[in-house]
Amino acid sequence: MTAEPAVVQLASGLPMHDRAAADVTRVPPHDLDAEQAVVGSLMLAPEVIAEVTAVMDPADHYRPAHEAIHRTILDLNAQGRPADPITLGHHLEQLGELHRVGGRAYLHTLVQAVPTTANAAYYAEIVHRLARRRRSIEAGTRIVQAGMTPDATEEDLQELLALGAETLPGVWADPIPLNHQPKLPTFPTHVLPSWLREFVDAIAEETQTPPDLAGALALAVLATTAGGRVIVQLRGRWREPTNLFVVVALPPGNRKSAVFAAMTAPLRAAEKQLVTQAAGRIAEAEVTAKMAREAADKAAAQAAKSDGPERDGLTAEAIALAQAADSLEIPNSPRLLADDSTPEVVTTLMSEQGGRLSVMSAEGGIFDIIAGRYSGTPNMEIFLKGHAGDWLRVDRRTRVENIEAPALTMGLAVQPDVLEDIGKHRGFDGRGLLARFLYALPESLVGYRKPDPAPVPEPVAERYERTVTALTLTLAEWTDPAVLRLTPEADQALAAYDQRIEPQLRARGGRLGHITKWASKLVGATARMAGLLHLGQHLETGYTKPISGETMNAAIALGDYFATHALTVFDLMGADAALTRARTLLTVLEENGWESVTRRDLFAKLSRSEFPTVADLEPAVALLEEHGYLRSRTPSRTGKRGRPPAPRYLIHPQVREARA
């Protein structure tokens, strides 16, 4: 088999010359022939990968090149890709690692060096057994060195002895990257009413965009039609309106504007029809008000010219006419949609529209406006109360605006950078604005799009446009909101969902514990979506029927979808303090290159602004341990009095290699 190169690198970082020229007693135990046979077998026979993995870890190799090749083979196998010398060499070249492992010729040499792949597990046992011996030697060396060091304390010796006793921890698995996120689920379009599902799927196909984009906007469209007109009765005095805040994020080049325009077109058409229908009433009211004011002015002028008893009668008549003129209201031109509007304008529009409005935009500029782009002062009151339906009264010098039950809907399609930016605005999180949005972060299809996709079938498009327009016009005529109730099955399903979510809100160990502001609103948001799905399924008779258990379960599927996406989005915003600190901690470990470190020494290297106390260190350590970057070892007590031994952390070899 191929001989070891002239210089190798020991775990300690000190160079050791070829075994023929060096003191044999100083060469750590290893078997390069066995290592070559293991790696060569993995290339020749992928079916032995499972057997080898059960016996050894890539870190067991003595030669770094063998470890690097071994890890790359496992990565390719996990992706379902071949790892023969040709494909492996090509992949290593793309990674810039080919030269470091010996080039293409060495890969072919490894294959030729395999006696038989049937013995791959046996070769792996040899490599693993020798790796355990090297670790024992390293641990013993540290103990001897500490014992010979006059400055070493009793506590240091105890920790090293405990570490030496546990110096055979088995193998290190590849650590899970801290930025690793499970593949996010795709929007469950199957839960939508058939007329809506067909259009969402078709527009996603036509534009070659993820269905999440059209699906999330579809919910905002339904909320625009029903917001302020329908509420869901849950239990007791708990009621939920049917307006939603929805934001979907995709990078540039994903045709967000095209999908946004297609989804909102029926709303714009309905708004035009409402304006046309109201034009006659507005004109009539304006003429009537003008005539009433003129009559009141004329009566006031006559009263001013008269004298005696006649003056009193004319004055009373003028006052009555003036009061009648003032009582006449001129209807405002109907508005369903707003886009680039300041909070003050949104408030005025909602007041004019009976508390109902929808902010729909294919950009994220509304967040800059809320933050004070024009005024210099953040103003989010209307957005907070508009989502919750809380009474709002605005007193101004020239006008008093009173909104009894505001119902504001928001449907936004933005770039992921927008979410990162708003996450940095402390006021948005502190006041709870971010907690009111349902987030979708779909995977971009750019680079995988079909060149000639099927267009939206005309009947599907016509049905969607006709249904949204009709539903909007019908609900616009309602003055008092319809109350949707739950069937016993729906009530039980929502109660079970509430019970399932509640433990996840716990600060310690709860899956949603670090986003409780958002997650505590999830059950209510699910009830809102159930009301919207119900209306979409029963277009003409929805207000006369209770929400079924099937519809509630469909809404729960949406709730689970948004919960999973919210975890990733809030991570993008930096909401998980433990994750942020874990990343800082990992950087410190990489910079120092420790094999192991005590908690005391590690804490001394950290910034007090980020880690004020040792208690702040523990969650980050736990996260790194969970991801496989380190292992905690607490030395056993010697029986003497005093403080218990401090924990010591063993560091994954890859962390040390990152520094090199």
Side-chain angles (χ1 to χ4, degrees):
M1 295 190 181
T2 302
E4 170 75 353
V7 177
V8 297
Q9 196 75 16
L10 295 179
S12 62
L14 299 176
M16 173 68 76
H17 291 281
D18 190 298
R19 71 185 88 181
D23 182 0
V24 176
T25 61
R26 297 187 62 190
V27 178
H30 65 282
D31 190 326
L32 293 179
D33 291 345
E35 291 186 15
Q36 290 176 332
V38 167
V39 180
S41 295
L42 296 179
M43 283 189 278
L44 283 173
E47 61 271 15
V48 305
I49 289 178
E51 298 177 39
V52 171
T53 302
V55 175
M56 66 168 290
D57 184 85
D60 288 343
H61 288 287
Y62 176 70
R63 187 177 178 191
H66 295 157
E67 179 182 352
I69 296 171
H70 192 145
R71 292 188 186 280
T72 305
I73 292 173
L74 295 183
D75 290 342
L76 290 173
N77 181 260
Q79 299 172 27
R81 299 166 60 186
D84 57 74
I86 296 176
T87 56
L88 181 61
H90 178 70
H91 185 67
L92 287 168
E93 186 175 38
Q94 289 182 322
L95 296 176
E97 298 289 319
L98 184 59
H99 176 73
R100 190 170 72 87
V101 301
R104 297 181 188 274
Y106 188 62
L107 298 180
H108 288 279
T109 299
L110 291 174
V111 172
Q112 297 168 3
V114 180
T116 172
T117 59
N119 292 336
Y122 174 70
Y123 306 143
E125 288 178 2
I126 296 174
V127 175
H128 178 57
R129 184 171 64 250
L130 293 175
R132 288 167 63 89
R133 293 184 62 187
R134 290 197 302 274
R135 295 185 184 109
S136 298
I137 293 171
E138 291 172 3
T141 301
R142 288 195 296 269
I143 294 172
V144 171
Q145 290 174 342
M148 299 293 291
T149 302
D151 295 336
T153 65
E154 189 69 22
E155 182 179 0
D156 292 334
L157 292 174
Q158 290 176 1
E159 291 176 352
L160 283 171
L161 286 171
L163 180 64
E166 300 178 3
T167 193
L168 302 176
V171 299
W172 287 93
D174 286 344
I176 303 172
L178 284 175
N179 59 357
H180 171 76
Q181 292 288 348
K183 185 176 178 62
L184 294 177
T186 303
F187 189 92
T189 59
H190 66 275
V191 306
L192 299 175
S194 60
W195 61 271
L196 187 54
R197 179 187 67 248
E198 291 174 1
F199 184 74
V200 166
D201 288 339
I203 196 67
E205 170 66 20
E206 178 182 279
T207 58
Q208 288 296 284
T209 54
D212 311 64
L213 178 57
L217 291 175
L219 292 176
V221 168
L222 283 177
T224 301
T225 67
R229 298 296 185 267
V230 179
I231 58 177
V232 180
Q233 172 68 47
L234 300 179
R235 48 184 177 269
R237 298 185 179 181
W238 183 10
R239 292 184 169 188
E240 288 287 345
T242 50
N243 55 300
L244 296 175
F245 284 11
V246 180
V247 57
V248 55
L250 273 169
N254 273 272
R255 301 166 180 165
K256 295 189 296 292
S257 296
V259 176
F260 186 89
M263 297 303 300
T264 59
L267 294 177
R268 296 193 299 272
E271 185 179 80
K272 290 181 179 179
Q273 289 193 39
L274 290 172
V275 170
T276 301
Q277 294 173 3
R281 297 194 303 272
I282 293 174
E284 181 181 352
E286 288 176 343
V287 171
T288 301
K290 181 179 179 181
M291 293 175 60
R293 175 51 57 190
E294 290 176 351
D297 291 342
K298 184 177 180 180
Q302 290 178 348
K305 296 177 182 179
S306 61
D307 295 321
E310 183 181 4
R311 181 186 180 93
D312 293 338
L314 292 175
T315 299
E317 182 182 354
I319 292 173
L321 289 172
Q323 291 175 340
D326 290 340
S327 67
L328 295 176
E329 293 186 1
I330 301 175
N332 293 291
S333 183
R335 284 285 299 273
L336 291 176
L337 304 172
D339 185 357
D340 187 10
S341 304
T342 65
E344 293 77 16
V345 170
V346 170
T347 303
T348 298
L349 288 173
M350 291 184 68
S351 178
E352 293 175 350
Q353 302 302 318
R356 180 190 191 196
L357 189 69
S358 181
V359 176
M360 302 286 284
S361 177
E363 301 294 341
I366 186 66
F367 291 114
D368 291 335
I369 296 174
I370 297 173
R373 175 199 291 173
Y374 300 122
S375 63
T377 304
N379 184 355
M380 60 189 77
E381 197 73 15
I382 185 61
F383 299 96
L384 300 177
K385 293 188 174 181
H387 178 274
D390 296 335
W391 174 67
L392 176 65
R393 181 166 185 163
V394 179
D395 293 308
R396 299 177 179 174
R397 291 184 179 180
T398 58
R399 186 172 182 178
V400 175
E401 294 174 331
N402 186 65
I403 308 176
E404 290 290 340
L408 178 64
T409 288
M410 296 184 73
L412 309 175
V414 304
Q415 297 179 18
D417 290 348
V418 173
L419 298 182
E420 291 188 59
D421 292 341
I422 63 176
K424 298 173 184 176
H425 197 291
R426 297 183 61 184
F428 285 176
D429 182 45
R431 295 290 305 280
L433 179 64
L434 300 182
R436 285 163 165 78
F437 281 92
L438 297 174
Y439 299 95
L441 191 65
E443 185 176 357
S444 171
L445 297 183
V446 173
Y448 300 91
R449 295 179 291 197
K450 300 177 183 177
D452 188 23
V456 177
E458 198 59 34
V460 171
E462 291 179 354
R463 186 184 181 195
Y464 171 73
E465 294 170 1
R466 182 176 64 253
T467 304
V468 172
T469 302
L471 190 61
T472 304
L473 296 177
T474 300
L475 295 179
E477 297 176 356
W478 294 6
T479 54
D480 296 328
V483 179
L484 301 180
R485 303 186 183 278
L486 308 182
T487 61
E489 294 77 13
D491 184 60
Q492 291 174 7
L494 187 64
Y497 186 55
D498 193 2
Q499 188 175 11
R500 172 158 66 90
I501 292 297
E502 189 64 26
Q504 299 182 37
L505 305 181
R506 295 170 184 167
R508 289 183 175 272
R511 171 175 174 257
L512 305 173
H514 62 289
I515 57 170
T516 51
K517 291 180 182 178
W518 183 91
S520 61
K521 300 180 185 298
L522 178 57
V523 175
T526 300
R528 296 187 184 202
M529 290 187 286
L532 295 175
L533 295 178
H534 176 79
L535 289 174
Q537 291 163 347
H538 308 283
L539 297 170
E540 298 180 354
T541 60
Y543 63 94
T544 67
K545 299 180 178 180
I547 298 173
S548 68
E550 182 180 0
T551 299
M552 184 60 71
N553 285 325
I556 289 172
L558 288 172
D560 287 338
Y561 164 85
F562 284 116
T564 305
H565 280 249
L567 286 169
T568 300
V569 168
F570 278 99
D571 179 20
L572 188 67
M573 296 180 184
D576 192 345
L579 181 59
T580 301
R581 288 173 174 167
R583 287 172 176 155
T584 299
L585 188 56
L586 184 58
T587 300
V588 172
L589 295 176
E590 291 173 348
E591 290 175 348
N592 286 274
W594 293 307
E595 292 184 9
S596 66
V597 63
T598 64
R599 182 174 63 184
R600 178 184 58 193
D601 292 341
L602 177 58
F603 184 65
K605 290 284 187 179
L606 301 171
S607 167
R608 292 298 161 270
S609 62
E610 190 170 5
F611 295 87
T613 67
V614 173
D616 298 306
L617 174 64
E618 295 306 321
V621 167
L623 191 57
L624 287 183
E625 188 167 15
E626 180 182 335
H627 281 249
Y629 284 100
L630 54 79
R631 294 169 179 163
S632 297
R633 294 288 183 266
T634 302
S636 57
R637 297 182 67 102
T638 60
K640 298 180 180 179
R641 295 181 179 180
R643 295 182 303 170
R648 190 176 191 91
Y649 307 122
L650 307 181
I651 315 302
H652 195 293
Q654 284 190 21
V655 177
R656 303 194 300 274
E657 293 168 6
R659 183 170 178 261

